[in-house]
């Protein structure tokens, strides 16, 4: 029905106009001959007019009055309708919570601003803001608190940007601003960005408490990074994520290297999705030795990507992407399956250490999945040691306790990795039944030239002794470090001093040479590129 209203209004206007016009013509034709007689009759000076003419005259007057009233009503209706349409257009382009433009309206107004500034010889800076940890506010305090925070952020943006700025809430906790500035004076936009970052960081009062977030902000400029809103939005978004990846609560200007890095990252992600299914991710093995005797105790499994397009890719380049995209679980289990198959016929005294990522430790079915994999590959649980970093325990300590208890019930040992880098190491040692502590490599590699690192290594060693927990030192890269650790009483270590991480072929060659394969094999020569020229094996 709503779609027919314009037609009905126009029809009513025509009908009303026709009535008024017909009444006017009729009035002129009848009134010209009868009105003088009517006036004389009313004044008592004549015999009056015929009844028919009198009726026609009065009908004319009534029709004219009706038409005028209808015309006035239609004008009021048109005015109300125009106001309603204007209000609807305003709502269609505005975010109802903050009063800022929405994305569609922002793109329209921003494009017009760019065109105006090009004529004036000015540039437009497009700032993209994303709130850091906003989801935590909603999760802990509720969506009403989140709305309070979003409105407060909008007010602070308005207070700290130039008067002619176009501001928008693009959705969720993402905002954008477009400001004109002199191309040769970008410092003005630097000051605005700094002010926004500092202002948004201030706590927001809500009920009886305070809410806190920070913001990551990216800036793109129309005179250098693109002169269309689509391009500027995309490149400001790239700069914003660069700020987020650099630690959050800061701002970055867009640069071409950021876009290059994004293209590379997308290529890596696409390659990873194909590579996991194609079996391109393989285990490498780093030796773990007894520092007193030189005996090989086991290996730590490290993932490597043998990419046909990119070559051998180190974990620092693909593990963060796997974490972000949710591929870490499938990647980790694919590599573990190969490692368990590789190691099942090694000497029974050799252990295999495997790292578990923080996201995997949030999976309540982790222990069941591991047990299933061990059963399928025939690898003994007693030879497996799972390494968990301190940072992975922060999100849900209760779930971590359940998973660790389940792993230990299956005979799997659990080590606390990167010890000393977290904020609550002692609390974790008390709350969780670990079998081993691993000192973070950053302390070990620097202990010869840094007194603080040496003191930390010594303190962790003594702590392990007092708690009855074996301690492993990572990052042993020289004989001097090895001797220093021995003097502290450390019994187990690993690092490039004993050989770089090696392929399964190199590991089997090493084990065969020292008769540590369950099925005896003829020793194969050690490849030069396996990092084992300096073999730290039993009896070295």
């Amino acid at each position: 029905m709503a779609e027919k209203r314009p037609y009905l209004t126009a029809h009513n206007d025509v009908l009303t106009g026709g009535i008024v016009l017909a009444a006017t013509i009729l009035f002129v034709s009848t009134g010209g001959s009868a009105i003088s007689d009517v006036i004389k009759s009313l004044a008592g000076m004549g015999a009056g007019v015929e009844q028919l003419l009198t009726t026609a005259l009065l009908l004319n007057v009534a029709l004219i009055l009706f038409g005028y009233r209808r015309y006035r009503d239609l004008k009021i209706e048109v005015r109300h309708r125009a106001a309603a349409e204007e209000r609807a257009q305003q709502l269609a382009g505005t975010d109802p919570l903050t009063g800022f433009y929405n994305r569609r309206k922002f793109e329209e107004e921003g494009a017009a601003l760019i065109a105006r500034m090009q004529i004036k010889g000015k540039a437009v800076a497009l700032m993209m803001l994303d709130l850091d940890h906003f989801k935590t506010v909603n999760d802990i305090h509720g969506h009403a608190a989140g709305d309070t925070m979003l409105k407060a952020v909008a007010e602070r943006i308005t207070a700290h940007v130039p008067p002619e700025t176009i501001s928008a809430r693009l959705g969720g906790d993402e905002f954008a601003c477009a400001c004109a500035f002199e191309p040769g004076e970008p410092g003005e936009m630097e000051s605005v960005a700094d002010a926004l970052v500092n202002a948004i960081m201030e706590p927001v009062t809500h009920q009886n408490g305070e809410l806190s977030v920070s913001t990551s902000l990216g800036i793109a400029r129309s005179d250098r990074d693109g002169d269309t809103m689509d391009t500027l939005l995309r490149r400001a978004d790239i700069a914003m994520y660069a700020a987020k990846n650099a630690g959050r609560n800061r701002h970055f200007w867009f640069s071409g290297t950021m876009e290059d890095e994004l293209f590379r990252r997308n290529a890596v992600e696409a390659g990873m999705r194909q590579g996991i299914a194609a079996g391109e991710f393989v285990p490498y093995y780093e030796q773990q030795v007894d520092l007193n005797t030189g005996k090989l105790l086991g290996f730590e499994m490290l993932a490597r990507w043998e990419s046909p397009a990119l070559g051998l890719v180190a974990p620092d380049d693909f593990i963060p992407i796997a974490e972000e995209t949710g591929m870490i679980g499938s990647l980790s289990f694919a590599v573990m399956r190969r490692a368990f198959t590789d190691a099942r016929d090694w000497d029974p005294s050799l252990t295999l250490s495997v790292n578990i990522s923080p996201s995997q430790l949030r999976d309540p079915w982790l222990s069941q999945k591991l047990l299933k994999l061990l059963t399928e590959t025939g690898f003994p649980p007693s030879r497996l040691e799972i390494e968990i970093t301190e940072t992975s325990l922060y999100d849900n300590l209760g779930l971590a306790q359940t998973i660790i208890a389940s792993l230990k019930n299956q005979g799997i040992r659990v080590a606390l990795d990167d010890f000393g880098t977290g904020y609550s190491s002692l609390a974790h040692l008390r709350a969780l039944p670990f079998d081993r502590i691993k000192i973070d490599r950053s302390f070990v590699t620097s202990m010869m030239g840094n007194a603080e690192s040496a003191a930390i290594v010594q303190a962790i060693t003594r702590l392990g002794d007092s708690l009855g927990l074996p301690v492993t030192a990572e990052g042993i890269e020289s004989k001097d470090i090895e001797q220093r650790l021995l003097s502290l009483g450390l019994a187990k270590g690993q690092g490039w001093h004993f050989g770089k991480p090696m392929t399964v072929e190199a590991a089997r060659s090493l084990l065969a040479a020292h008769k540590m394969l369950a099925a005896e094999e003829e020793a194969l020569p050690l490849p030069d590129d396996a990092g084992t020229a300096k073999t730290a094996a039993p009896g070295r």
Side-chain angles (χ1 to χ4, degrees):
M1 294 297 292
E3 296 181 356
K4 296 181 180 179
R5 286 179 181 174
Y7 167 77
L8 293 175
T9 300
H11 179 74
N12 290 340
D13 289 345
V14 173
L15 179 62
T16 301
I19 293 173
V20 173
L21 178 62
T24 302
I25 294 172
L26 185 61
F27 178 77
V28 171
S29 63
T30 58
S33 60
I35 193 166
S36 59
D37 294 336
V38 171
I39 293 174
K40 290 177 181 180
S41 175
L42 293 174
M45 299 173 60
V49 296
E50 295 181 5
Q51 185 66 32
L52 180 60
L53 288 177
T54 302
T55 302
L57 180 64
L58 294 175
L59 179 60
N60 291 167
V61 173
L63 287 173
I64 291 172
L65 292 175
F66 167 77
Y68 170 75
R69 181 172 180 179
R70 180 58 183 156
Y71 172 73
R72 185 191 63 183
D73 291 344
L74 286 173
K75 284 188 66 176
I76 294 173
E77 182 181 350
V78 168
R79 189 162 59 246
H80 287 170
R81 180 164 296 177
E85 290 177 354
E86 182 180 355
R87 176 62 176 164
Q89 290 180 354
Q90 182 181 7
L91 291 174
T94 304
D95 170 53
L97 181 65
T98 62
F100 280 3
Y101 288 143
N102 60 19
R103 180 181 289 273
R104 180 186 62 80
K105 187 66 173 177
F106 179 69
E107 290 179 355
E108 293 176 0
E109 295 295 329
L113 177 64
I114 292 172
R116 293 196 304 271
M117 293 305 106
Q118 285 177 336
I119 296 173
K120 295 181 179 181
K122 291 187 176 183
V124 173
L126 196 150
M127 295 185 288
M128 186 80 74
L129 302 86
D130 187 83
L131 303 185
D132 304 323
H133 308 300
F134 177 74
K135 184 177 182 297
T136 303
V137 174
N138 276 337
D139 290 346
I140 296 178
H141 303 283
H143 288 278
D147 289 348
T148 298
M149 174 62 72
L150 292 173
K151 288 189 283 189
V153 168
E155 292 170 0
R156 293 173 184 183
I157 289 174
T158 302
H160 289 88
V161 296
E164 302 301 321
T165 299
I166 299 171
S167 300
R169 179 187 172 205
L170 303 182
D173 59 342
E174 194 171 55
F175 295 83
C177 303
C179 313
F181 72 102
E182 294 292 341
E185 300 178 5
E188 178 185 356
M189 289 299 99
E190 283 277 344
S191 299
V192 172
D194 283 334
L196 287 173
V197 170
N198 292 331
I200 292 173
M201 188 171 54
E202 293 295 322
V204 174
T205 301
H206 176 70
Q207 295 179 350
N208 297 324
E210 290 184 338
L211 310 173
S212 295
V213 296
S214 58
T215 189
S216 299
L217 190 154
I219 316 173
R221 47 190 293 174
S222 63
D223 60 329
R224 187 184 65 189
D225 304 323
D227 57 1
T228 66
M229 284 296 290
D230 182 64
T231 301
L232 289 177
L233 280 167
R234 180 171 57 83
R235 291 183 166 173
D237 192 60
I238 292 172
M240 181 269 291
Y241 275 103
K244 195 175 287 288
N245 293 334
R248 308 174 190 266
N249 194 34
R250 64 196 65 205
H251 77 272
F252 277 174
W253 288 84
F254 171 81
S255 69
T257 56
M258 293 178 183
E259 195 163 33
D260 294 341
E261 179 61 27
L262 179 64
F263 290 150
R264 182 182 181 279
R265 183 199 178 283
N266 289 339
V268 170
E269 180 181 340
M272 287 177 63
R273 294 188 184 280
Q274 297 175 357
I276 293 173
E280 296 172 8
F281 289 86
V282 298
Y284 271 49
Y285 301 98
E286 182 175 348
Q287 300 174 62
Q288 297 176 326
V289 304
D290 186 319
L291 298 181
N292 291 300
T293 66
K295 180 182 179 181
L296 181 63
L297 301 175
F299 295 90
E300 179 177 353
M301 185 206 81
L302 305 171
R304 296 290 186 271
W305 180 17
E306 295 178 341
S307 168
L310 303 173
L312 186 64
V313 184
D316 287 347
D317 293 328
F318 64 80
I319 291 296
I321 297 175
E323 288 275 8
E324 292 171 17
T325 58
M327 290 188 282
I328 188 65
S330 57
L331 187 158
S332 178
F333 274 94
V335 178
M336 279 194 285
R337 177 179 293 277
R338 296 184 67 162
F340 294 165
T341 303
D342 291 343
R344 64 189 172 192
D345 65 344
W346 295 352
D347 191 281
S349 66
L350 296 176
T351 61
L352 185 67
S353 297
V354 174
N355 289 282
I356 294 297
S357 73
S359 60
Q360 287 179 284
L361 202 61
R362 292 191 290 269
D363 181 2
W365 297 100
L366 175 63
S367 59
Q368 288 82 355
K369 291 177 181 178
L370 270 174
L371 183 59
K372 180 175 182 290
L373 186 59
L374 290 169
T375 302
E376 291 173 351
T377 57
F379 188 77
S382 60
R383 290 177 55 200
L384 177 63
E385 183 172 89
I386 295 296
E387 297 183 4
I388 298 171
T389 62
E390 289 187 89
T391 53
S392 65
L393 301 173
Y394 298 151
D395 291 342
N396 192 332
L397 183 59
L399 178 58
Q401 288 175 314
T402 301
I403 291 174
I404 291 174
S406 179
L407 292 173
K408 288 181 67 66
N409 287 339
Q410 296 166 16
I412 299 171
R413 284 172 284 186
V414 182
L416 181 59
D417 197 13
D418 297 341
F419 187 80
T421 58
Y423 296 102
S424 54
S425 304
L426 297 179
H428 290 148
L429 287 178
R430 184 180 63 180
L432 299 166
F434 290 107
D435 298 291
R436 178 174 297 277
I437 300 172
K438 297 192 73 174
I439 306 175
D440 186 69
R441 68 177 62 250
S442 62
F443 301 125
V444 177
T445 55
S446 61
M447 65 181 297
M448 298 304 295
N450 187 304
E452 292 181 355
S453 294
I456 291 173
V457 172
Q458 184 174 3
I460 295 174
T461 304
R462 290 178 177 174
L463 176 65
D465 289 339
S466 64
L467 295 175
L469 285 175
V471 178
T472 297
E474 298 181 294
I476 303 174
E477 297 183 356
S478 69
K479 185 69 174 179
D480 291 340
I481 294 177
E482 179 188 14
Q483 292 300 318
R484 182 70 176 273
L485 293 172
L486 277 170
S487 69
L488 296 176
L490 270 169
K492 187 176 181 179
Q494 64 186 82
W496 287 14
H497 175 58
F498 309 110
K500 294 182 180 180
M502 63 184 75
T503 63
V504 63
E505 293 81 10
R508 292 188 71 84
S509 296
L510 172 67
L511 295 175
H514 296 282
K515 303 186 185 319
M516 297 193 74
L517 290 175
E520 290 293 335
E521 295 182 357
E522 184 178 348
L524 299 175
L526 298 181
D528 292 337
D529 60 352
T532 56
K534 177 187 176 183
T535 305
R540 70 172 173 85

